[in-house]
């Protein structure tokens, strides 16, 4: 029998990871021919390399464990670094949640929004949503000073090879910030503040994976966000965008 198993590995990540490994292994022991594993949020995926001497490459270890437990296929959403998928020797799929998020935004708006990436790394997400909604997008410039400290600047990206807006276009706009992960919220708090400072009419925040530690939700609202929504890759108050349809679409292939 071919089976599909879905389990996220957010907090408590070690417990959820062990549960996932036991489930995969047990299904195989009990005779499953093929186990397709959907891990909407893969814990430890942000440690795809040694950032400091002596650190473990945690993402690689987790990938090896999932495979060793007997997974035949690995499916996830907006993995932080695509190279993490190279740690697997089984087929992998990295689904984008941007379609589902765009659908949600589309239902909420009555005018064309401005989609904003809080840093250049998230710009492809903003572009994906902007293309679906046929609206403008831009990105902010972020410098990470420490694990929970970032500095953000608005940049005028006009004239670059990308089709983007300039700083003046923020004024009077309904801005939607999009990121893959919100952890401490430092990145988003800065982005909300700067967009408000530059005259955005409202600022809503969307992300795929709501890790939301250290009072992130409260700090994002305190910075002036109108709303904070995410997918249900992890369970949080913000998890209002279901990934079920996106998973079903991939499984149909
Ligand atoms: C960074 O590259 C990611 O896309 C997120 O911006 C980052 O993980 C968010 O972290 P935090 O919420 O702690 O600023």
């Amino acid at each position: 029998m071919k089976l599909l198993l879905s389990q996220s590995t957010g907090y408590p990540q070690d417990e959820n990871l062990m549960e996932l490994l036991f489930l995969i292994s047990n299904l195989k022991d009990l005779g499953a021919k093929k186990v397709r594993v959907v891990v909407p949020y893969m814990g430890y995926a942000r440690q795809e390399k040694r950032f400091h001497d002596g650190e473990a490459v945690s993402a690689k270890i987790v990938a090896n464990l999932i495979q060793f437990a007997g997974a035949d296929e690995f499916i996830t959403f907006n993995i932080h670094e695509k190279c993490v998928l190279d740690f697997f020797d089984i087929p992998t799929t990295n689904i984008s949640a941007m379609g589902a998020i765009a659908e949600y935004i589309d239902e909420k708006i009555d005018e064309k929004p401005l989609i904003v990436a809080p840093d250049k790394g998230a710009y492809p997400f903003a572009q994906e949503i902007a293309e679906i909604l046929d609206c403008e997008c831009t990105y902010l410039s972020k410098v990470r000073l420490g694990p929970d400290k970032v500095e953000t600047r608005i940049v005028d990206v006009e004239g670059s090879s990308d089709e983007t807006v300039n700083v003046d276009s923020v004024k009077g706009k309904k801005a939607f910030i999009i990121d893959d992960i919100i952890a401490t919220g430092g990145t988003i708090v800065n982005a909300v503040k700067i967009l408000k400072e530059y005259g955005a009419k409202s600022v809503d925040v969307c992300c795929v994976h709501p890790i939301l530690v250290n009072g992130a939700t409260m700090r994002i609202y305190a910075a002036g966000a109108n709303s904070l929504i995410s997918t249900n890759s992890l369970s949080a108050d913000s998890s209002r965008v279901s990934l079920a349809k996106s998973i079903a679409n991939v499984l149909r292939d």
Side-chain angles (χ1 to χ4, degrees), residues 195-217:
L195 290 170
K196 293 287 252 185
E197 195 184 310
Y198 276 82
K201 185 153 71 176
S202 60
V203 182
D204 291 80
V205 177
C206 315
C207 77
V208 182
H209 308 299
I211 297 178
L212 300 173
V213 291
N214 303 347
T217 302

Side-chain angles (χ1 to χ4, degrees), residues 131-195:
E131 196 176 319
I132 297 170
L133 298 178
D134 187 27
C135 64
E136 294 172 310
C137 65
T138 190
Y139 63 86
L140 305 174
S141 158
K142 176 180 97 176
V143 183
R144 186 166 284 283
L145 306 172
D148 54 4
K149 198 159 191 273
V150 292
E151 194 181 284
T152 304
R153 281 185 289 269
I154 205 153
V155 284
D156 184 344
V157 287
E158 204 182 41
S160 73
S161 54
D162 308 312
E163 279 291 312
T164 50
V165 295
N166 63 36
V167 290
D168 294 332
S169 307
V170 171
K171 208 171 166 137
K173 282 284 167 76
K174 286 194 171 180
F176 279 79
I177 302 172
I178 175 73
D179 208 351
D180 57 344
I181 294 172
I182 303 179
T184 66
T187 301
I188 298 296
V189 164
N190 281 5
V192 172
K193 284 185 181 161
I194 206 159
L195 290 170

Side-chain angles (χ1 to χ4, degrees), residues 28-49:
K28 278 304 191 68
D29 276 355
L30 294 173
K33 197 165 132 212
K34 186 174 176 189
V35 180
R36 303 177 83 180
V37 178
V38 182
V39 182
Y41 170 72
M42 179 183 169
Y44 295 106
R46 288 202 288 177
Q47 183 76 13
E48 84 283 358
K49 61 181 181 193

